[in-house]
Amino acid sequence: MIKECLIAVAEKICPEKVNLFKSVSLSANTVARRVQDIAENISSQLSDKNGHHEWFSVALDESTDVSDTAQVLIFIRGVDKSYEVYEELLDIDSIHGTTTGADIFKEVENAINKKNLRWGNLKSITTDRGKNMCGKNKGVVALVSKAVENDGGSKPLVLHCIIHQQSLCGKCLDMSEVLKPVISVVNFIRSTGLNHRQFREFIEEIGENVCGLTISYCRTLA
């Protein structure tokens, strides 16, 4: 705010030196306070929303940063009485010791309690399919399901992240029968200048009779 005031004064008194005022960098403490204020404001808004939602789901991810510290990210997706859906980063916590299912569940429990959420309203949980996440007895999913049932809720739906699903599909599906003809056609069109010119003329002739997606792809190829 002070910098904005200085720039406004400089524009009136010495316009030729406005760029010098704009180039003045804010101190590290000022930037840190601003980031903290933004974080507190977002946290306050999230807490207000948590008091009005009917159901919510969480997504968990645990990974190690460059300093070998485990970071647990907890995302929430909630629905209120008017069916308004919101998604936010609920909390992020650092784990400096072991990262067992119990350790991660403790961080999740702290986040749930800190935001005044009820376990009974939790309807779905998404994880990265790690052993500490999906262990049958001591994994985070098992501990969360137990907490939900103890609070009177039904067992939550368990999902795996889309990257895990894509990995499974990539291992199971054989796309060669689709890709080989496409690659063969592309190679034929681009093999000689004559083929390429004839293909472009063909696209221009039938452009009005094919769907927009097909014509867009063909023009990209041409």
Side-chain angles (χ1 to χ4, degrees), residues 164-214:
H164 177 71
Q165 298 174 15
Q166 290 177 344
S167 177
L168 292 178
C169 291
K171 293 179 180 179
C172 298
L173 295 179
D174 183 10
M175 300 296 292
S176 60
E177 296 299 326
V178 177
L179 293 178
K180 284 182 179 179
V182 174
I183 295 174
S184 177
V185 171
V186 173
N187 290 338
F188 175 78
I189 294 174
R190 303 293 300 196
S191 60
T192 64
L194 177 60
N195 292 344
H196 191 197
R197 289 193 299 272
Q198 290 178 340
F199 178 73
R200 295 183 64 176
E201 293 177 359
F202 173 71
I203 292 301
E204 294 299 331
E205 291 178 0
I206 67 172
E208 300 298 330
N209 300 321
V210 295
C211 67
L213 181 61
T214 303

Side-chain angles (χ1 to χ4, degrees), residues 108-140:
V108 176
E109 186 177 33
N110 290 337
I112 294 293
N113 295 334
K114 184 166 58 177
K115 302 300 182 180
N116 297 321
L117 297 169
R118 287 192 59 237
W119 283 112
N121 293 339
L122 176 61
K123 293 301 176 182
S124 175
I125 178 172
T126 304
T127 68
D128 58 2
R129 192 55 181 173
K131 291 183 178 179
N132 53 357
M133 290 286 187
C134 297
K136 182 178 180 180
N137 298 317
K138 298 182 180 180
V140 176

Side-chain angles (χ1 to χ4, degrees), residues 62 68-72 93-100 103-104 107:
E62 179 266 320
D68 292 332
T69 301
Q71 305 289 349
V72 179
D93 296 294
S94 301
I95 301 179
H96 299 279
T98 58
T99 56
T100 64
D103 296 325
I104 298 176
E107 301 299 333

Side-chain angles (χ1 to χ4, degrees), residues 8-16:
V9 173
E11 290 176 345
K12 297 294 183 181
I13 299 177
C14 48
E16 70 280 1

Side-chain angles (χ1 to χ4, degrees), residues 5 12 18-19 22 27 54 57 64 71 78 85 92 111 114 121 126 135 149 153 157 170-171 173 175 186 193 195 210:
C5 293
K12 297 294 183 181
V18 171
N19 291 332
K22 290 182 178 180
S27 67
E54 290 293 305
S57 61
T64 304
Q71 305 289 349
V85 180
I92 178 171
K114 184 166 58 177
N121 293 339
T126 304
E149 291 175 350
L157 177 66
K171 293 179 180 179
L173 295 179
M175 300 296 292
V186 173
N195 292 344
V210 295

